[in-house]
Amino acid sequence: LVSGITAQQNNTASFIREAISLENDTVSNYYLRDSAVARFYPDWESDSTMIEGLIKEIGQKEVTYLLAQRKNLKNGTWNGVVSNSVQIIDEAYLKKTFKGKNKTKNWQAYYNTHQSAYYEVSQPVFTSDKKYAIVYIALQCGTNCGHGGASLYVFDKGIWKIGRNIF
């Protein structure tokens, strides 16, 4: 995943433009989804353990603030965030393309159209003090292919750096 993002401290567009440019590969298709925190469920055992770790690291107040942002996040509402060299893939298209049980056939059809994989990128969410952000970046490249996850970034000396991978 990306490190050393020289984005503005609390600017989603700046953060994502830098993150995408640092991936440094030939993939130009992106699905811009809601935030990684939209899928945190404090009552699930795995998520509660992860959230406990975040509380130790950044404090209960900031974790509560991050989780409260889940209500305001929407897929595909990223106007003006990325450059013209990036093709945005919307959720409806992905659902239509990958419907049914034959995932291999679906991926073949996707590659016939796009010639490359796609990145799934979440909107970053920032702590109230703007010192931390959580963003999800994952490469989706086939039925049994892909990597990525959510990371906690720390704003230090004008640069966003990965603090650690969350999941």
Side-chain angles (χ1 to χ4, degrees):
L1 293 175
V2 190
S3 64
I5 298 174
T6 55
Q8 297 169 23
Q9 189 169 7
N10 184 25
N11 184 293
T12 298
S14 175
F15 191 101
I16 292 301
R17 275 193 298 272
E18 285 297 313
I20 288 172
S21 71
L22 290 173
E23 285 298 336
N24 198 22
D25 64 25
T26 59
V27 174
S28 63
N29 301 311
Y30 288 82
Y31 166 51
L32 302 178
R33 61 174 268 192
D34 57 5
S35 172
V37 297
R39 290 172 172 66
F40 285 2
Y41 299 100
D43 53 336
W44 290 8
E45 185 176 350
S46 60
D47 284 2
S48 65
T49 302
M50 176 190 56
I51 290 170
E52 285 175 22
L54 282 173
I55 290 170
K56 289 177 185 173
E57 196 163 349
I58 65 175
Q60 177 68 57
K61 175 185 161 210
E62 295 301 343
V63 170
T64 301
Y65 183 85
L66 288 171
L67 293 175
Q69 294 178 60
R70 292 183 295 181
K71 294 179 248 170
N72 302 321
L73 300 167
K74 298 176 184 167
N75 285 354
T77 56
W78 289 54
N79 298 332
V81 172
V82 293
S83 71
N84 293 336
S85 65
V86 171
Q87 178 181 352
I88 305 302
I89 300 171
D90 68 19
E91 184 173 21
Y93 174 80
L94 288 177
K95 283 182 179 180
K96 180 181 173 187
T97 302
F98 294 103
K99 72 179 180 184
K101 294 184 179 182
N102 192 336
K103 300 300 181 200
T104 302
K105 184 178 176 183
N106 294 344
W107 272 103
Q108 287 171 342
Y110 175 86
Y111 273 106
N112 287 339
T113 301
H114 298 284
Q115 322 293 278
S116 74
Y118 70 90
Y119 277 103
E120 186 174 345
V121 181
S122 75
Q123 295 180 32
V125 291
F126 301 93
T127 55
S128 64
D129 62 3
K130 314 304 184 241
K131 184 177 178 185
Y132 299 95
I134 295 176
V135 68
Y136 178 89
I137 300 174
L139 178 69
Q140 306 297 340
C141 51
T143 305
N144 296 313
C145 176
H147 63 83
S151 296
L152 177 68
Y153 286 80
V154 180
F155 195 73
D156 182 39
K157 298 177 185 166
I159 296 175
W160 285 101
K161 299 176 183 174
I162 290 182
R164 68 179 177 91
N165 292 332
I166 298 173
F167 63 86

